[in-house]
Amino acid sequence: MGKTILILGGGAGGLVAANKLRKKLNDEHKIVLIDQNDFQLYYPSLFWILEGTRTSEQISKKLNGISKKGIEFHQEKITKIDVITKQVEAGENIHSYDYLIIALGAKLNYEAVPGIGPKNCLYVLPGILNLREQLKTFSGGKVYLVVSSVPFRCPAAPYEAALLLDDYFRQRGIRDKVDLRLFTAEAQPMPVAGPKIGTLVRKIIEGQGVKYHPTVKLASVDNQNRKIFFDNGDNFDFDLLAIVPPHNAPEAVRDAGLLGDNGWVLVNPAIMETKYPEVFAIGDITGIKLPSGKPLPKAGVFAHFEAEVVAERIAAEIEGKKPVAKFTGWGSCFLEIGGGKAGLAFGNFYANPDPKVIMLPPMKLWHWVKIIFEKWWFWKWF
Ligand SMILES: Cc1cc2nc3c(=O)[nH]c(=O)nc-3n(C[C@H](O)[C@H](O)[C@H](O)COP(=O)(O)OP(=O)(O)OC[C@H]3O[C@@H](n4cnc5c(N)ncnc54)[C@H](O)[C@@H]3O)c2cc1C
């Protein structure tokens, strides 16, 4: 009897899972992928739009091409997940499944902070395109990046944004006219990677003259008067502002009874299965507590490797074999620093008692590896 594997979300995790399952299972089994968008945006290249080396078209790719590989694609908004009846409501349709993979990512919660929205968001296309437009005529002033709360996607990204903006202003010869600051709710950069890497990244950004304000919580933004307010009573005038909004789990999973106390989907960290058999969750939507007590960072690299593990386990089970694949917590991440250079951090995030992560110094090689990976991503999965 053919089985149906339903994958919710066509982002980093969902797309890899769909491809891997299609490769492993014969046509008797149906692989169905649902996403509210008909395209995937490749986030690691998003900030290259700011400096003008990428356009939005160059970093987005249509998802419907996967139907040629034998993966059924539906562009629909998922509104309900029922793990008891094994059905998912999406758009006008109800989809039944034998196995479910939830890869719906993290939702940006603009409602949580008055005055924030897609137009001043560092993490979405409208925000990046708006910032790019403003940068074209910008001749100096106060440029602030604000991470409003934790957890957020890609712990390195706000630091990359600060360093790429620093580089951009230097290239335009206006760096001395720009007061570039990064405000964040974190106590240090990339806290899960440990104090050594945090100190190193802080040294890199401060070495470039970026003023760093850790442990501050954004309370509100007054766009008309160009002011930001923090919980501790501090407020600052700005000229250009880009915010990382609070993240939370999308509504559909909140109502499905899958969330833990931390507000994210609870899974077995080795096999990514939820408390319901045949229901798996991968990527940013999960809340995995590390031995150190800190959460596993939300990053595409983890979504990718978790997707491979889940695909292997489901395929093995369907074929009557013993599933053996396990997610080990290994991950890596580039840190773009501008000037065509990047650092590379990597290691075992599941190590006990603390993640064992090292960072290789910034050099041109890692920047080029990041570019090659971008090309490989579009070639491999679509
Ligand atoms: C600027 C930036 C740079 C980054 N750089 C890196 C990097 O260099 N390396 C790295 O490892 N990670 C990076 N990340 C993080 C990475 O992009 C995410 O961790 C990764 O995309 C998570 O994959 P996912 O599959 O869990 O979720 P996503 O990729 O977010 O996919 C979720 C999908 O679900 C869909 N969806 C959500 N709700 C619904 C619904 N109700 N109905 C239908 N569809 C829905 C969405 O449309 C989306 O396509 C970066 C992130 C940002 C913002």
Side-chain angles (χ1 to χ4, degrees):
M1 262 284 278
K3 301 280 185 197
T4 298
I5 301 108
L6 186 57
I7 301 162
L8 310 184
L15 189 63
V16 171
N19 272 273
K20 287 278 171 185
L21 279 161
R22 188 66 290 164
K23 275 241 145 128
K24 284 175 189 298
L25 293 171
N26 64 39
D27 294 348
E28 169 194 12
H29 306 291
K30 244 170 62 166
I31 319 290
V32 182
L33 179 79
I34 308 177
D35 199 289
Q36 61 198 354
N37 298 322
D38 66 347
F39 66 93
Q40 187 193 90
L41 183 71
Y42 184 71
Y43 285 102
S45 303
L46 189 65
F47 299 149
W48 286 338
I49 293 179
L50 289 177
E51 49 173 37
T53 53
R54 292 291 182 285
T55 62
S56 47
E57 292 76 23
Q58 286 171 321
I59 64 161
S60 321
K61 198 151 177 177
K62 292 274 185 197
L63 284 166
N64 51 15
I66 59 172
S67 49
K68 281 192 265 145
K69 299 180 176 181
I71 300 165
E72 201 176 301
F73 174 65
H74 297 264
Q75 186 192 354
E76 292 162 354
K77 187 168 169 65
I78 295 145
T79 48
K80 190 172 173 196
I81 301 167
D82 190 330
V83 289
I84 308 300
T85 60
K86 295 191 144 194
Q87 286 184 327
V88 169
E89 288 180 21
E92 304 286 295
N93 294 320
I94 293 180
H95 300 269
S96 299
Y97 64 82
D98 297 293
Y99 291 89
L100 183 68
I101 303 176
I102 304 171
L104 290 171
K107 190 177 175 227
L108 301 178
N109 182 6
Y110 300 115
E111 291 79 41
V113 181
I116 67 169
K119 278 274 184 187
N120 57 17
C121 175
L122 183 68
Y123 270 19
V124 291
L125 259 182
I128 287 295
L129 294 174
N130 183 30
L131 187 56
R132 164 100 184 120
E133 269 318 294
Q134 294 185 72
L135 283 171
K136 281 181 188 165
T137 52
F138 187 69
S139 55
K142 296 168 178 165
V143 179
Y144 296 164
L145 303 175
V146 185
V147 178
S148 51
S149 63
V150 289
F152 61 92
R153 273 183 273 166
C154 191
Y159 300 90
E160 278 193 328
L163 290 163
L164 289 174
L165 283 172
D166 165 74
D167 186 45
Y168 171 84
F169 295 132
R170 279 177 206 281
Q171 282 186 36
R172 286 198 36 210
I174 58 167
R175 182 64 182 95
D176 56 336
K177 297 190 180 68
V178 180
D179 175 6
L180 181 56
R181 298 186 188 216
L182 174 53
F183 299 84
T184 177
E186 310 156 284
Q188 63 155 84
M190 300 156 71
V192 178
K196 214 165 146 192
I197 289 184
T199 307
L200 184 66
V201 174
R202 184 166 179 167
K203 222 166 120 187
I204 294 173
I205 59 163
E206 289 184 331
Q208 294 303 108
V210 178
K211 294 194 189 96
Y212 188 56
H213 300 256
T215 335
V216 289
K217 196 161 184 306
L218 184 65
S220 65
V221 177
D222 177 349
N223 289 297
Q224 208 161 11
N225 296 306
R226 295 185 166 261
K227 252 182 181 315
I228 46 174
F229 297 86
F230 292 93
D231 264 7
N232 61 7
D234 285 351
N235 64 78
F236 297 84
D237 296 325
F238 67 85
D239 294 299
L240 295 184
L241 178 70
I243 290 165
V244 178
H247 290 33
N248 58 20
E251 287 87 358
V253 289
R254 277 188 249 162
D255 302 336
L258 291 162
L259 303 187
D261 291 343
N262 58 14
W264 302 95
V265 177
L266 272 183
V267 288
N268 174 328
I271 62 171
M272 311 310 292
E273 196 166 27
T274 67
K275 62 182 173 185
Y276 296 96
E278 285 117 30
V279 178
F280 296 83
I282 55 174
D284 290 357
I285 202 161
T286 62
I288 295 178
K289 195 169 159 190
L290 300 176
S292 63
K294 293 191 178 120
L296 180 72
K298 299 196 180 301
V301 64
F302 298 128
H304 178 164
F305 291 142
E306 290 162 4
E308 295 197 350
V309 167
V310 167
E312 274 205 50
R313 295 190 71 88
I314 292 175
E317 221 174 278
I318 289 175
E319 288 168 342
K321 299 177 195 152
K322 189 173 178 308
V324 288
K326 288 205 169 135
F327 176 57
T328 59
W330 195 91
S332 64
C333 155
F334 296 108
L335 177 74
E336 284 280 305
I337 65 152
K341 289 185 185 171
L344 175 67
F346 62 94
N348 177 6
F349 285 75
Y350 277 6
N352 201 349
D354 288 304
K356 280 200 169 56
V357 184
I358 59 165
M359 184 155 166
L360 301 179
M363 58 175 89
K364 288 205 186 302
L365 174 68
W366 305 130
H367 173 70
W368 279 102
V369 174
K370 182 168 165 155
I371 291 176
I372 291 165
F373 190 82
E374 176 204 51
K375 311 280 171 239
W376 176 82
W377 184 265
F378 286 129
W379 168 81
K380 176 80 180 166
W381 305 117
F382 290 85

